[in-house]
Amino acid sequence: MTTPTRRPFTLSDFARCKTEGRKIGVLTAYDYTTARLLDEAGADCLLVGDSLGTVVQGWDTTLRVTLDQMLYHAEMVSRAARNAFVVADLPFLTYQVSPEQAIETAGKYLKGTQCHAVKLEGGVTTAPTIKRLVSCGIPVMGHVGLTPQSVRALGGFKVQRDETRVLADAQAVAESGAFAIVLECVPADLAKQITASISIPTIGIGAGVHCDGQVLVTPDMLGLFESFRPKFVRRYAELADTIRAAASEYLKDVREQTFPNDQESFS
Ligand code: KIV
Protein backbone atom coordinates (compact mmCIF):
# COMPACT_ATOMS: atom_id res chain seq x y z
CA MET A 1 0.00 0.00 0.00
CA THR A 2 1.43 3.39 -0.94
CA THR A 3 1.08 6.23 1.50
CA PRO A 4 -0.21 9.42 -0.14
CA THR A 5 2.38 12.18 0.14
CA ARG A 6 1.44 14.71 2.75
CA ARG A 7 3.04 17.98 3.57
CA PRO A 8 3.21 19.43 7.06
CA PHE A 9 0.16 21.38 8.22
CA THR A 10 1.35 24.92 8.90
CA LEU A 11 0.12 28.01 10.68
CA SER A 12 -1.20 29.49 7.42
CA ASP A 13 -3.19 26.31 6.74
CA PHE A 14 -5.51 27.19 9.64
CA ALA A 15 -6.64 30.37 7.86
CA ARG A 16 -6.71 28.64 4.47
CA CYS A 17 -8.98 25.88 5.81
CA LYS A 18 -11.44 28.47 7.13
CA THR A 19 -11.50 30.28 3.78
CA GLU A 20 -11.92 27.07 1.81
CA GLY A 21 -14.38 25.44 4.20
CA ARG A 22 -12.07 22.45 4.75
CA LYS A 23 -12.64 21.17 8.31
CA ILE A 24 -9.61 20.96 10.63
CA GLY A 25 -9.09 17.65 12.47
CA VAL A 26 -7.42 17.93 15.88
CA LEU A 27 -6.70 15.25 18.50
CA THR A 28 -4.95 15.43 21.83
CA ALA A 29 -1.68 13.53 22.31
CA TYR A 30 0.59 13.01 25.30
CA ASP A 31 3.25 10.44 24.29
CA TYR A 32 5.50 9.57 21.36
CA THR A 33 3.90 6.28 20.27
CA THR A 34 0.32 7.52 20.16
CA ALA A 35 1.31 10.84 18.61
CA ARG A 36 3.14 9.01 15.82
CA LEU A 37 0.01 6.94 15.05
CA LEU A 38 -2.28 9.99 15.08
CA ASP A 39 0.14 11.84 12.83
CA GLU A 40 0.23 8.90 10.42
CA ALA A 41 -3.58 8.77 10.48
CA GLY A 42 -3.62 12.33 9.13
CA ALA A 43 -4.33 14.59 12.11
CA ASP A 44 -3.86 18.22 11.05
CA CYS A 45 -2.99 19.27 14.56
CA LEU A 46 -1.99 17.48 17.76
CA LEU A 47 -2.82 19.21 21.01
CA VAL A 48 -0.72 18.39 24.05
CA GLY A 49 -3.62 19.21 26.30
CA ASP A 50 -3.46 19.73 30.03
CA SER A 51 -6.33 17.21 29.96
CA LEU A 52 -3.39 14.92 30.68
CA GLY A 53 -4.14 15.82 34.31
CA THR A 54 -7.29 13.70 34.05
CA VAL A 55 -6.70 11.11 31.31
CA VAL A 56 -3.02 10.39 32.04
CA GLN A 57 -2.51 11.36 35.68
CA GLY A 58 -5.94 10.42 37.04
CA TRP A 59 -6.84 13.70 38.77
CA ASP A 60 -10.38 15.06 38.52
CA THR A 61 -9.30 18.45 37.13
CA THR A 62 -6.41 19.95 35.15
CA LEU A 63 -5.38 22.25 37.99
CA ARG A 64 -2.42 20.22 39.32
CA VAL A 65 -0.61 19.85 36.01
CA THR A 66 2.81 21.50 36.19
CA LEU A 67 4.86 23.26 33.55
CA ASP A 68 7.66 20.68 33.81
CA GLN A 69 5.18 17.87 33.18
CA MET A 70 3.71 19.66 30.17
CA LEU A 71 7.16 20.36 28.72
CA TYR A 72 8.05 16.67 29.11
CA HIS A 73 4.95 15.58 27.17
CA ALA A 74 5.19 18.38 24.58
CA GLU A 75 8.73 17.29 23.81
CA MET A 76 7.68 13.66 23.19
CA VAL A 77 4.70 14.58 21.03
CA SER A 78 6.56 17.13 18.95
CA ARG A 79 9.34 14.59 18.34
CA ALA A 80 6.74 12.17 16.94
CA ALA A 81 4.87 14.60 14.68
CA ARG A 82 6.02 14.63 11.07
CA ASN A 83 3.12 16.50 9.49
CA ALA A 84 0.81 17.56 12.28
CA PHE A 85 1.02 21.07 13.73
CA VAL A 86 1.74 20.69 17.45
CA VAL A 87 0.10 22.97 20.02
CA ALA A 88 0.75 22.70 23.77
CA ASP A 89 -1.37 23.99 26.64
CA LEU A 90 0.03 26.48 29.12
CA PRO A 91 -0.93 25.04 32.51
CA PHE A 92 -2.91 26.78 35.25
CA LEU A 93 -1.19 29.83 36.76
CA THR A 94 1.78 29.79 34.41
CA TYR A 95 0.41 32.68 32.31
CA GLN A 96 -2.44 34.35 34.19
CA VAL A 97 -0.21 36.37 36.56
CA SER A 98 1.19 38.76 33.93
CA PRO A 99 2.02 38.94 30.20
CA GLU A 100 5.71 38.68 31.20
CA GLN A 101 5.02 35.41 32.99
CA ALA A 102 3.17 34.15 29.89
CA ILE A 103 6.08 35.09 27.59
CA GLU A 104 8.54 33.31 29.86
CA THR A 105 6.36 30.18 30.00
CA ALA A 106 5.56 30.09 26.27
CA GLY A 107 9.24 30.67 25.51
CA LYS A 108 10.11 27.47 27.37
CA TYR A 109 7.89 25.50 24.97
CA LEU A 110 9.23 27.11 21.82
CA LYS A 111 12.87 26.94 22.90
CA GLY A 112 12.79 23.61 24.74
CA THR A 113 10.51 21.51 22.52
CA GLN A 114 9.71 21.31 18.83
CA CYS A 115 6.10 22.38 19.32
CA HIS A 116 4.75 25.07 17.01
CA ALA A 117 2.34 27.03 19.17
CA VAL A 118 0.80 27.36 22.61
CA LYS A 119 -2.80 27.38 23.79
CA LEU A 120 -4.17 29.34 26.69
CA GLU A 121 -7.61 29.72 28.21
CA GLY A 122 -9.66 32.88 28.60
CA GLY A 123 -11.26 35.65 26.58
CA VAL A 124 -11.55 39.37 27.26
CA THR A 125 -9.19 39.29 30.23
CA THR A 126 -6.58 37.10 28.49
CA ALA A 127 -6.60 39.04 25.19
CA PRO A 128 -3.85 41.54 26.18
CA THR A 129 -1.57 38.60 27.08
CA ILE A 130 -2.28 36.91 23.73
CA LYS A 131 -1.41 40.19 21.99
CA ARG A 132 1.95 40.36 23.77
CA LEU A 133 2.78 36.72 22.96
CA VAL A 134 1.89 37.21 19.30
CA SER A 135 4.04 40.36 19.19
CA CYS A 136 6.96 38.20 20.39
CA GLY A 137 6.44 35.80 17.47
CA ILE A 138 4.67 33.13 19.51
CA PRO A 139 1.62 31.65 17.74
CA VAL A 140 -1.34 31.35 20.11
CA MET A 141 -4.50 29.24 20.02
CA GLY A 142 -7.25 30.61 22.28
CA HIS A 143 -9.82 28.65 24.30
CA VAL A 144 -13.20 30.02 25.44
CA GLY A 145 -16.58 28.72 26.61
CA LEU A 146 -15.94 26.06 29.23
CA THR A 147 -12.37 26.76 30.31
CA PRO A 148 -11.42 23.80 32.55
CA GLN A 149 -8.72 25.74 34.44
CA SER A 150 -11.57 27.95 35.77
CA VAL A 151 -13.70 24.99 36.83
CA ARG A 152 -13.85 26.21 40.44
CA ALA A 153 -15.07 29.66 39.37
CA LEU A 154 -17.52 28.22 36.83
CA GLY A 155 -19.01 25.89 39.45
CA GLY A 156 -18.28 22.69 37.52
CA PHE A 157 -17.92 21.34 33.99
CA LYS A 158 -21.09 22.90 32.56
CA VAL A 159 -22.31 24.00 29.14
CA GLN A 160 -21.64 27.74 28.83
CA ARG A 161 -24.86 29.44 27.74
CA ASP A 162 -24.09 33.12 28.37
CA GLU A 163 -24.12 34.19 24.71
CA THR A 164 -22.97 37.75 25.33
CA ARG A 165 -19.98 36.67 27.38
CA VAL A 166 -18.84 33.79 25.16
CA LEU A 167 -19.21 35.88 21.99
CA ALA A 168 -17.29 38.82 23.51
CA ASP A 169 -14.56 36.42 24.67
CA ALA A 170 -14.22 34.83 21.23
CA GLN A 171 -14.10 38.22 19.52
CA ALA A 172 -11.46 39.51 21.94
CA VAL A 173 -9.29 36.44 21.32
CA ALA A 174 -9.66 36.76 17.53
CA GLU A 175 -8.81 40.48 17.63
CA SER A 176 -5.75 39.84 19.80
CA GLY A 177 -4.04 37.91 17.00
CA ALA A 178 -4.66 34.27 17.94
CA PHE A 179 -4.58 31.99 14.89
CA ALA A 180 -7.46 29.71 16.03
CA ILE A 181 -9.76 29.28 18.99
CA VAL A 182 -11.18 26.29 20.83
CA LEU A 183 -14.89 26.59 21.70
CA GLU A 184 -15.64 24.14 24.49
CA CYS A 185 -19.13 23.14 25.62
CA VAL A 186 -21.19 25.90 24.06
CA PRO A 187 -24.59 25.43 22.39
CA ALA A 188 -24.29 24.56 18.68
CA ASP A 189 -26.21 27.68 17.57
CA LEU A 190 -23.89 29.96 19.53
CA ALA A 191 -20.82 28.21 18.10
CA LYS A 192 -22.31 28.69 14.62
CA GLN A 193 -22.82 32.40 15.28
CA ILE A 194 -19.26 32.80 16.61
CA THR A 195 -17.78 30.84 13.70
CA ALA A 196 -19.54 33.16 11.25
CA SER A 197 -18.55 36.32 13.07
CA ILE A 198 -14.81 35.89 13.66
CA SER A 199 -12.01 35.70 11.12
CA ILE A 200 -10.04 32.85 12.73
CA PRO A 201 -11.05 29.17 12.69
CA THR A 202 -13.07 27.78 15.57
CA ILE A 203 -12.18 24.30 16.82
CA GLY A 204 -15.14 22.79 18.63
CA ILE A 205 -15.38 20.30 21.46
CA GLY A 206 -18.97 19.91 22.55
CA ALA A 207 -19.82 22.86 20.30
CA GLY A 208 -21.74 21.27 17.42
CA VAL A 209 -20.97 20.66 13.78
CA HIS A 210 -20.69 24.24 12.51
CA CYS A 211 -17.20 24.93 13.88
CA ASP A 212 -14.30 25.13 11.43
CA GLY A 213 -12.73 22.06 13.02
CA GLN A 214 -13.18 19.57 15.84
CA VAL A 215 -11.00 18.33 18.67
CA LEU A 216 -11.49 15.30 20.89
CA VAL A 217 -9.47 14.01 23.81
CA THR A 218 -7.87 10.92 22.26
CA PRO A 219 -8.32 8.48 25.19
CA ASP A 220 -12.06 9.42 25.13
CA MET A 221 -12.31 8.93 21.37
CA LEU A 222 -10.54 5.57 21.58
CA GLY A 223 -12.72 4.28 24.42
CA LEU A 224 -9.67 4.04 26.65
CA PHE A 225 -10.68 6.46 29.40
CA GLU A 226 -13.78 5.20 31.18
CA SER A 227 -14.05 7.27 34.37
CA PHE A 228 -16.23 9.90 32.77
CA ARG A 229 -17.90 10.15 29.35
CA PRO A 230 -19.13 13.59 28.27
CA LYS A 231 -22.20 13.73 25.97
CA PHE A 232 -20.13 15.10 23.08
CA VAL A 233 -17.69 12.18 22.93
CA ARG A 234 -18.06 9.72 20.07
CA ARG A 235 -16.07 6.54 20.59
CA TYR A 236 -14.33 5.26 17.46
CA ALA A 237 -12.86 2.23 19.26
CA GLU A 238 -13.30 0.32 22.51
CA LEU A 239 -9.64 0.08 23.48
CA ALA A 240 -10.31 -0.45 27.18
CA ASP A 241 -12.09 -3.72 26.32
CA THR A 242 -9.34 -4.65 23.84
CA ILE A 243 -6.61 -4.08 26.43
CA ARG A 244 -8.40 -6.01 29.18
CA ALA A 245 -8.99 -8.94 26.81
CA ALA A 246 -5.39 -8.96 25.54
CA ALA A 247 -3.95 -8.72 29.05
CA SER A 248 -6.12 -11.51 30.42
CA GLU A 249 -5.23 -13.77 27.45
CA TYR A 250 -1.52 -13.12 28.08
CA LEU A 251 -1.91 -13.82 31.81
CA LYS A 252 -3.75 -17.09 31.05
CA ASP A 253 -0.94 -18.15 28.69
CA VAL A 254 1.68 -17.37 31.34
CA ARG A 255 -0.17 -19.40 33.96
CA GLU A 256 -0.77 -22.31 31.58
CA GLN A 257 2.86 -22.16 30.36
CA THR A 258 1.81 -21.75 26.70
CA PHE A 259 3.80 -18.51 26.54
CA PRO A 260 6.58 -18.35 25.50
CA ASN A 261 6.66 -21.17 22.95
CA ASP A 262 9.75 -22.50 21.14
CA GLN A 263 9.61 -19.80 18.42
CA GLU A 264 9.57 -17.17 21.11
CA SER A 265 12.58 -18.66 22.91
CA PHE A 266 16.32 -18.74 22.13
CA SER A 267 18.03 -22.11 21.66
O1 KIV B 1 -6.61 20.02 27.52
C1 KIV B 1 -7.22 19.68 26.50
O2 KIV B 1 -7.15 18.53 26.04
C2 KIV B 1 -8.03 20.68 25.83
C3 KIV B 1 -9.03 20.19 24.83
C4 KIV B 1 -10.18 19.61 25.54
C5 KIV B 1 -9.44 21.26 23.88
O3 KIV B 1 -7.92 21.82 26.11
Side-chain angles (χ1 to χ4, degrees), residues 218-238:
T218 297
D220 287 341
M221 184 278 285
L222 294 177
L224 196 55
F225 182 72
E226 297 183 311
S227 306
F228 175 66
R229 183 174 177 178
K231 170 185 161 77
F232 56 77
V233 168
R234 184 182 294 178
R235 284 190 182 165
Y236 287 84
E238 295 295 342

Side-chain angles (χ1 to χ4, degrees), residues 28 30 47 49-51 89 119 121 143 182 184 205 215 217:
T28 67
Y30 316 98
L47 171 65
D50 63 354
S51 51
D89 262 335
K119 176 165 84 59
E121 298 181 6
H143 184 156
V182 169
E184 179 163 353
I205 176 161
V215 57
V217 170

Side-chain angles (χ1 to χ4, degrees), residues 118-249:
V118 297
K119 176 165 84 59
L120 45 83
E121 298 181 6
V124 172
T125 54
T126 312
T129 297
I130 297 177
K131 210 169 187 171
R132 283 289 301 281
L133 288 168
V134 173
S135 75
C136 295
I138 300 170
V140 177
M141 179 181 273
H143 184 156
V144 304
L146 171 57
T147 45
Q149 292 176 12
S150 308
V151 62
R152 302 289 187 234
L154 295 172
F157 297 101
K158 298 175 185 162
V159 180
Q160 300 300 301
R161 300 182 183 280
D162 183 342
E163 291 193 12
T164 312
R165 178 180 64 81
V166 181
L167 183 59
D169 280 341
Q171 281 168 342
V173 168
E175 283 159 18
S176 68
F179 67 89
I181 183 169
V182 169
L183 301 182
E184 179 163 353
C185 285
V186 300
D189 282 350
L190 175 57
K192 184 179 182 183
Q193 191 193 336
I194 292 170
T195 301
S197 71
I198 62 175
S199 58
I200 60 172
T202 56
I203 310 294
I205 176 161
V209 75
H210 301 291
C211 296
D212 298 303
Q214 298 290 332
V215 57
L216 277 179
V217 170
T218 297
D220 287 341
M221 184 278 285
L222 294 177
L224 196 55
F225 182 72
E226 297 183 311
S227 306
F228 175 66
R229 183 174 177 178
K231 170 185 161 77
F232 56 77
V233 168
R234 184 182 294 178
R235 284 190 182 165
Y236 287 84
E238 295 295 342
L239 286 199
D241 290 341
T242 305
I243 290 174
R244 273 188 290 262
S248 69
E249 204 175 320

